[in-house]
Structures are given as structure tokens and as C-alpha cells.
Amino acid sequence: MSVFLLSIKGQIERATIPDCPELFVKYQFVYGDDWIVTTGIEEGITQICKRYDPGQDFVFNFPLDVTFKSTNPRGWPQLVLCTYGRDTWGQEIIRGYGVCFIPVSLGSNIKKMVGMFVPEASNTASKLSTLFSGRPPELYDPRILSRNRGREVLRTSSKGCLHLVFNIISKDTQRLAYNLASSEKAITVQVPERTQQDEQRQRADRQSISSVTSQFNAMTANKNDRGNGVQTADRIRNEDGRRQSRQSRRGEQENSSQEQSRPLSPSSNSQPALSPRVTVVRRLQEERQESEASTPGPSAAPRRRNSEMPGSARSKSQY
């Protein structure tokens, strides 16, 4: 879960309360439901301070140190202050109430003066009781001062003031889109009025700037066009080379298909050309056939006469 941190450091510096020989302060931080105390003390009590001169202030210099974390600024912390003192009979009575918001602005040595007040009796009986007892009316729960509801019926009277000093540090407020301005006072600078010469000078400066900008844009556009032209020429050259190679391959394929589909000429009715070895073998076979056809067969051979036969009777009588 995204949260931001708020660190509050400072001190209760001094108090100006009349008609009081000694004084101490009770304080407590009041905050919304989304705020959580991570470190520090959210309520406490100061030391008792005495003064011997009625014109002097009560100096406390009591430190404050607490750190909160929250998810949104709703319920920003407030500091409720209650001052107590002793009367002539030694009783602790209320000397004033006060409340203030923790500074929203960041920075150090942020001084704040809180007006103190005491409640007044609402009727005559309460006033008589206060007069005889010496105890003024008190609030049952001082945290009611940090809420708007119910404060319109409260009657009060002023009773001095209390001086505080804060040092405020925050973390991760920018990440949650909360901008806590610095507490440093803005420095006002008196700007002299513009003269006619100043206006003319500014107009001339604007014109010169616009002309330089236009020239730069034109140079950039020409450079881009030149680069695009070189790329276009290279692309056209590559496409021409690929087209020529495709045409040459297509021509070779057409030539081969025409040679395969071409009919035989009349002079080529004879047998197709054979290898030299087959030609020699066939020539030998043809010569052998011709030689067999030229020589007479056994039936054509001249017959011998019986007398010339070796086993004939004539031959026997001769022997």
C-alpha cells in the first residue's frame, strides 16, 4: 500500500500568560483515522516553569518529535495545548486552551503563535461557583477543540498566547501527487515596464529565431530526401538485377521445353545415334552375316562319286 511520511520536530518555545506565577503545558496530537504514529510521542507534559518578574515570559524550549504515516491528507494532525498553573491556595487550575494545525508547508524554523483562551460560565450559578471555589470551568475532553462540531456554543475569553517552532519533513508525497509547498517566503521582484525599443528588439529576436529554425528544418528535409534518393536508386538497381536473372532462367526453361517437344525430321527416321562400342558390335555382326550369306551351305557342296567313296565296291575290287 502506498503511504507517505510526515516528520514533525520542533519545540514549545515560550508562553505569555498573565497573572500566573508558574506554568506547565500538556499537549497531544489529534489526527484522522487514516494516520498512524510510527515513531515519537503523541502526547506529553512539560516541566514546571516559574517566573519572578510578572513582565517575563515562561520559557520552556520543550522538544516535540513525532512521525506519522498516512495514505491521504484527510485528518491532518493538529496540536491541542492545555496550560495549567497553581493558584494562591496551591490548586492546579486551567490557565488556557489552544489548538493549531501542524504546518502544511515544509521547512525548518517555522514559527507559530497560538492564542490561548479559557471557557466562561454559561449561567449565574456557574459563575458564583467559580467565584467561591476559585476554579474556572474546564473542558471534559480538550480534543473537542480540534473538531468543529459543538464549538459554536462554547463561550471563551482570551488568556495570552503560546509560541511554537516546527521543522517539517515529508517523504513520498510527490509519488502520491501531493505537493507540499516550501515555507520560504516568495521574493517579489519589481519588473520594469517594457519600452517600445524592448518590444522591437524582442520581435527581431523572435524573427531571427524563426528563420534559423526554418533553415535548419529545410536542411534536415534535404538531407533526408537525399538519403531516401540513394536508397531508392539502390533498391531499383537490385530489382532490375533480380528481374534480369528471372528472365534468363525463364528463357532457359522455355528452350529446354521446346527441345523436348520438337518433332523428329524426315531424315531422322533411322535409328538414333548409338555409342561407338555398340556401333562396332553391330558392324561386326553385319559382316558376319554377309560372310555366312556368301559361303555355300552343306547341301550345295559337290557330291563325291561312289567310286571315290572310300567304302565302295570298286575300290574293293581294285584292292
Side-chain angles (χ1 to χ4, degrees), residues 215-235:
Q215 291 178 4
F216 177 77
N217 294 333
M219 292 172 61
T220 306
N222 293 335
K223 185 176 180 181
N224 294 334
D225 294 340
R226 193 180 300 109
N228 294 333
V230 173
Q231 295 178 359
T232 305
D234 294 340
R235 186 169 60 254

Coordinates of all heavy atoms in Angstrom, one line a residue, residues 215-235:
Q215 N 15.4 27.4 -41.6 CA 16.6 26.9 -42.3 C 17.1 25.5 -41.9 O 17.4 24.7 -42.7 CB 17.7 27.9 -42.2 CG 17.5 29.3 -42.9 CD 18.6 30.2 -42.7 OE1 19.6 29.9 -42.1 NE2 18.4 31.5 -43.2
F216 N 17.1 25.4 -40.6 CA 17.5 24.1 -40.1 C 16.6 23.0 -40.5 O 17.0 21.9 -40.9 CB 17.6 24.1 -38.6 CG 18.0 22.8 -37.9 CD1 19.3 22.4 -37.9 CD2 17.0 22.1 -37.3 CE1 19.6 21.2 -37.3 CE2 17.3 20.9 -36.7 CZ 18.6 20.4 -36.7
N217 N 15.3 23.2 -40.5 CA 14.3 22.2 -40.9 C 14.4 21.9 -42.4 O 14.3 20.8 -42.8 CB 12.9 22.8 -40.6 CG 12.6 22.9 -39.1 OD1 13.2 22.2 -38.3 ND2 11.7 23.8 -38.7
A218 N 14.7 23.0 -43.2 CA 14.9 22.7 -44.6 C 16.1 21.9 -44.9 O 16.1 20.9 -45.7 CB 15.0 24.1 -45.4
M219 N 17.2 22.2 -44.2 CA 18.5 21.3 -44.4 C 18.2 19.9 -43.9 O 18.6 19.0 -44.6 CB 19.6 22.0 -43.5 CG 20.1 23.3 -44.0 SD 21.3 24.1 -42.9 CE 22.6 22.8 -42.9
T220 N 17.5 19.7 -42.9 CA 17.2 18.4 -42.4 C 16.3 17.6 -43.4 O 16.5 16.5 -43.7 CB 16.5 18.4 -41.1 OG1 17.3 19.2 -40.1 CG2 16.3 17.0 -40.5
A221 N 15.3 18.4 -44.0 CA 14.5 17.7 -45.0 C 15.3 17.4 -46.3 O 15.1 16.3 -46.8 CB 13.3 18.7 -45.4
N222 N 16.2 18.2 -46.7 CA 17.0 17.9 -47.9 C 17.9 16.7 -47.7 O 18.1 15.8 -48.5 CB 17.9 19.1 -48.3 CG 17.0 20.3 -48.8 OD1 15.9 20.1 -49.3 ND2 17.5 21.5 -48.6
K223 N 18.5 16.7 -46.5 CA 19.3 15.5 -46.1 C 18.5 14.2 -46.1 O 19.0 13.2 -46.7 CB 20.0 15.8 -44.8 CG 21.0 14.7 -44.4 CD 21.6 15.1 -43.0 CE 22.6 14.0 -42.6 NZ 23.3 14.3 -41.3
N224 N 17.3 14.3 -45.6 CA 16.5 13.1 -45.6 C 16.1 12.7 -47.0 O 16.1 11.5 -47.3 CB 15.3 13.3 -44.7 CG 15.6 13.6 -43.3 OD1 16.7 13.1 -42.8 ND2 14.8 14.3 -42.5
D225 N 15.8 13.7 -47.8 CA 15.4 13.4 -49.2 C 16.6 12.8 -50.0 O 16.4 11.8 -50.8 CB 14.9 14.7 -49.9 CG 13.6 15.2 -49.3 OD1 12.9 14.4 -48.7 OD2 13.3 16.4 -49.5
R226 N 17.8 13.3 -49.8 CA 19.0 12.8 -50.4 C 19.2 11.3 -50.0 O 19.5 10.4 -50.8 CB 20.2 13.6 -50.1 CG 21.4 13.3 -51.0 CD 22.6 14.2 -50.7 NE 22.2 15.6 -50.8 CZ 22.1 16.5 -49.8 NH1 22.2 16.0 -48.6 NH2 21.8 17.7 -50.0
G227 N 19.1 11.1 -48.7 CA 19.3 9.7 -48.3 C 18.2 8.8 -48.8 O 18.5 7.7 -49.2
N228 N 17.0 9.3 -48.9 CA 15.9 8.5 -49.5 C 16.2 8.2 -50.9 O 15.9 7.1 -51.5 CB 14.6 9.2 -49.3 CG 14.2 9.3 -47.8 OD1 14.7 8.5 -47.0 ND2 13.4 10.3 -47.4
G229 N 16.7 9.2 -51.7 CA 17.0 9.0 -53.1 C 18.1 8.0 -53.3 O 17.9 7.1 -54.2
V230 N 19.1 8.0 -52.5 CA 20.2 6.9 -52.7 C 19.6 5.6 -52.4 O 19.8 4.6 -53.1 CB 21.3 7.3 -51.7 CG1 22.3 6.1 -51.7 CG2 22.0 8.6 -52.1
Q231 N 18.8 5.5 -51.3 CA 18.2 4.2 -51.0 C 17.2 3.8 -52.2 O 17.2 2.6 -52.5 CB 17.4 4.3 -49.7 CG 18.3 4.6 -48.5 CD 17.5 4.8 -47.2 OE1 16.2 4.7 -47.3 NE2 18.2 5.0 -46.1
T232 N 16.5 4.7 -52.8 CA 15.6 4.3 -53.9 C 16.4 3.8 -55.1 O 16.0 2.8 -55.7 CB 14.8 5.6 -54.3 OG1 14.1 6.1 -53.1 CG2 13.8 5.2 -55.3
A233 N 17.5 4.5 -55.4 CA 18.3 4.0 -56.6 C 18.9 2.6 -56.3 O 18.9 1.8 -57.2 CB 19.5 5.0 -56.8
D234 N 19.4 2.4 -55.1 CA 19.9 1.1 -54.8 C 18.8 0.0 -54.9 O 19.0 -1.1 -55.4 CB 20.5 1.1 -53.4 CG 21.7 1.9 -53.3 OD1 22.3 2.2 -54.4 OD2 22.1 2.3 -52.2
R235 N 17.6 0.4 -54.4 CA 16.5 -0.6 -54.5 C 16.1 -0.9 -55.9 O 15.8 -2.0 -56.3 CB 15.3 0.0 -53.7 CG 14.2 -1.0 -53.6 CD 13.1 -0.5 -52.6 NE 12.6 0.8 -53.0 CZ 12.8 1.9 -52.4 NH1 13.7 1.9 -51.4 NH2 12.3 3.0 -52.8

